[in-house]
């Protein structure tokens, strides 16, 4: 039986800098493709899937800087890259782009069978197809240019909700979303957009008021990927 391939923009080992797994050594798999259209997106190079940007695996892995180049990898190739690079992290973060545009169940099943834990970071605008044990981080993107709605199934599946914030409107949007989807128990993280001081101050104040947690994108302060 053929296993699916995944369009991968980057595959590398680092420290998770966001949310509940902050500080955890992790292998990041960044998938190509996202139609959500957030104006402040810091991975705009992952948005389009142009066949002319497909490159050999070695070229994708050897990138010296961000680019829209991607490679099509089978699950076996992904496992081989992890093995060949002697990565030590036991936690996989599948991000994007919007990783839930594709079925992640076969990939997460294979990774979990190797003794690795999986985490998905998604905007909550596509059905989440993954394993039961996979940790799902929903970072809901409300009223973005692409016009996608946040799905109730995604909000309900979330193990954590990580919301980008820069203005009071973002806080109001999140509160409305939590009410609309009847989310009361899931841990909420507020993440200041682009490390702006005003956004950080607002996030700190709002976290204290609501007993939410702060996520500050530690990797950006450390200057690592
Ligand atoms: S959902 Fe994520 S990858 Fe897509 S545009 Fe928004 S921030 Fe960027």
């Amino acid at each position: 039986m053929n296993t699916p391939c995944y369009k991968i923009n980057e595959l590398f080992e680092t420290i998770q800098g966001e949310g509940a797994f902050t500080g955890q050594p992790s292998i990041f798999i960044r998938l190509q493709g996202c139609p959500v259209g957030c104006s402040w997106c810091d991975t705009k190079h992952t948005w389009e899937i142009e066949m002319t940007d497909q490159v050999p695996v070695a070229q994708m892995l050897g990138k010296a800087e961000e680019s829209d180049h991607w490679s099509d990898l089978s699950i076996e190739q992904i496992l081989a890259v992890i093995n060949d690079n002697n990565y030590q992290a036991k936690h996989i973060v599948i991000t994007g782009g919007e990783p839930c545009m594709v079925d992640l169940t076969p990939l997460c099943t294979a990774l979990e069978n190797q003794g690795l834990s999986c985490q998905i970071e998604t905007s909550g605008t596509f059905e989440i197809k993954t394993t039961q044990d996979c940790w799902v981080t929903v970072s809901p993107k409300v009223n973005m240019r692409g016009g996608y709605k946040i799905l109730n199934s995604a909000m309900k599946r979330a193990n954590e909700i990580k919301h980008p914030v820069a203005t009071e409107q973002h806080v109001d949007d999140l509160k409305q979303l939590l009410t609309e989807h009847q989310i009361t128990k899931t841990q909420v993280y507020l993440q200041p957009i682009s490390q702006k001081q005003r956004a950080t101050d607002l996030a700190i104040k709002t976290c204290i008021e609501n007993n939410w947690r702060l996520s500050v994108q530690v990797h950006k302060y450390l200057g690592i990927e």
Side-chain angles (χ1 to χ4, degrees):
M1 192 179 81
N2 287 339
T3 58
C5 286
Y6 294 89
K7 293 178 172 48
I8 296 181
N9 179 287
E10 285 183 288
L11 202 169
F12 58 97
E13 188 177 47
T14 186
I15 298 283
Q16 168 62 292
E18 304 181 2
F21 284 92
T22 295
Q24 172 99 28
S26 303
I27 298 161
F28 272 68
I29 300 175
R30 187 181 304 289
L31 299 191
Q32 189 74 17
C34 181
V36 178
C38 307
S39 57
W40 36 261
C41 176
D42 57 5
T43 54
K44 286 182 175 156
H45 54 285
T46 66
W47 285 9
E48 306 298 334
I49 303 176
E50 302 285 358
M51 295 313 289
T52 49
D53 290 328
Q54 184 173 5
V55 296
V57 177
Q59 190 176 329
M60 181 275 291
L61 293 172
K63 276 184 197 183
E65 56 189 32
E66 290 175 351
S67 80
D68 45 13
H69 292 160
W70 56 271
S71 300
D72 222 10
L73 271 77
S74 66
I75 291 172
E76 292 73 21
Q77 285 175 301
I78 293 169
L79 294 176
V81 169
I82 293 171
N83 193 45
D84 293 349
N85 283 282
N86 198 24
Y87 287 153
Q88 297 300 307
K90 301 292 176 222
H91 186 68
I92 308 283
V93 181
I94 303 172
T95 186
E98 173 43 73
C100 290
M101 290 170 71
V102 297
D103 185 355
L104 298 168
T105 313
L107 176 57
C108 290
T109 300
L111 292 165
E112 286 170 3
N113 286 342
Q114 298 292 313
L116 302 162
S117 58
C118 292
Q119 176 183 6
I120 291 172
E121 296 181 333
T122 174
S123 62
T125 54
F126 287 81
E127 288 295 342
I128 298 168
K129 296 181 199 136
T130 187
T131 56
Q132 207 176 349
D133 288 344
C134 180
W135 181 273
V136 174
T137 303
V138 172
S139 184
K141 306 300 190 315
V142 181
N143 297 330
M144 293 303 158
R145 206 176 59 196
Y148 287 83
K149 296 269 177 254
I150 308 298
L151 303 182
N152 183 257
S153 60
M155 292 296 284
K156 291 278 193 250
R157 175 62 180 82
N159 296 101
E160 64 177 334
I161 293 167
K162 189 180 62 180
H163 200 258
V165 62
T167 65
E168 294 281 0
Q169 183 62 51
H170 294 139
V171 176
D172 292 345
D173 288 343
L174 173 60
K175 286 183 175 170
Q176 192 179 336
L177 205 59
L178 295 174
T179 304
E180 189 183 324
H181 295 282
Q182 301 178 315
I183 305 296
T184 54
K185 297 209 170 99
T186 313
Q187 183 65 59
V188 173
Y189 287 80
L190 281 192
Q191 187 159 289
I193 292 176
S194 304
Q195 298 79 54
K196 298 258 168 58
Q197 191 58 51
R198 250 185 89 202
T200 305
D201 292 344
L202 173 63
I204 291 170
K205 170 178 156 291
T206 310
C207 281
I208 291 171
E209 283 170 1
N210 294 277
N211 204 21
W212 293 340
R213 293 186 189 172
L214 188 66
S215 172
V216 292
Q217 295 186 292
V218 165
H219 55 295
K220 297 204 172 171
Y221 287 92
L222 295 174
I224 60 175
E225 195 171 15

